[in-house]
Amino acid sequence: MTTPLRRPGKCWKRRARSAIREVPAPPVYLRMVNEHIDRYGVAPDGRLYRASNGGILLSKEYTAVWKEARKIALPRKMANSPFAEVPYALRKAGISFWLRCGMDPAEAASRAGHSVAVLYKFYARILDGRREQANALIDRAMREAEGA
């Protein structure tokens, strides 16, 4: 399942201003987004998140909310640490999660809007140490091939 992703008034990396990038989204995520829309609606121009007056949400506004949310959601020790210090940390955590779940790195790179080279540059340590998992995948595939 995919959903078109637009960035009004801004250009994606090396893409035309009018470009739409397809972003595959798992059903559980789409349900969460739809529940959010059912509860809060969208801005007149279709944006999912907006300022309380309906305008564009400025980074200083969501950063302030983020800081307060961290105090509420995290234990004091974590809230006082660099853990998830900025909202962008969620993107990195999400990509790391995909890779840890075993998502193909090329697919993860595509979903993140990266090249595979960029993905490996920044996420190599997530992919490291997976020898046993790789051996199990090869072993299973070889056993299936022998049985075919």
Side-chain angles (χ1 to χ4, degrees):
M1 190 173 292
T2 61
T3 183
L5 185 63
R6 261 190 219 274
R7 216 172 161 196
K10 294 194 177 186
C11 294
W12 290 101
K13 300 174 189 173
R14 298 181 185 87
R15 292 178 180 91
R17 195 172 284 277
S18 61
I20 294 176
R21 181 166 66 101
E22 293 292 320
V23 178
V28 66
Y29 176 72
L30 293 177
R31 277 194 304 277
M32 292 167 63
V33 170
N34 285 326
E35 287 171 9
H36 178 89
I37 291 170
D38 289 345
R39 184 171 182 179
Y40 301 104
V42 295
D45 64 0
R47 282 177 292 111
L48 189 58
Y49 302 106
R50 60 201 178 279
S52 58
N53 67 1
I56 292 176
L57 187 62
L58 302 176
S59 61
K60 67 180 183 180
E61 293 168 323
Y62 67 75
T63 299
V65 171
W66 182 259
K67 286 179 182 179
E68 290 302 312
R70 286 180 75 245
K71 290 177 190 174
I72 295 167
L74 298 174
R76 181 175 292 168
K77 186 175 181 179
M78 289 179 82
N80 291 331
S81 77
F83 177 79
E85 196 166 32
V86 294
Y88 192 78
L90 293 177
R91 174 180 163 77
K92 188 170 185 178
I95 295 167
S96 298
F97 179 73
W98 297 341
L99 295 171
R100 268 287 170 215
C101 289
M103 182 185 285
D104 176 66
E107 177 65 17
S110 174
R111 289 180 182 220
H114 290 314
S115 67
V116 174
V118 167
L119 185 88
Y120 278 109
K121 180 178 179 180
F122 292 102
Y123 297 92
R125 70 179 179 277
I126 300 295
L127 297 167
D128 197 21
R130 315 267 322 250
R131 182 173 291 159
E132 287 181 31
Q133 180 184 5
N135 284 343
L137 289 169
I138 293 167
D139 188 55
R140 184 174 65 226
M142 290 180 76
R143 278 189 269 118
E144 288 174 5
E146 285 176 347

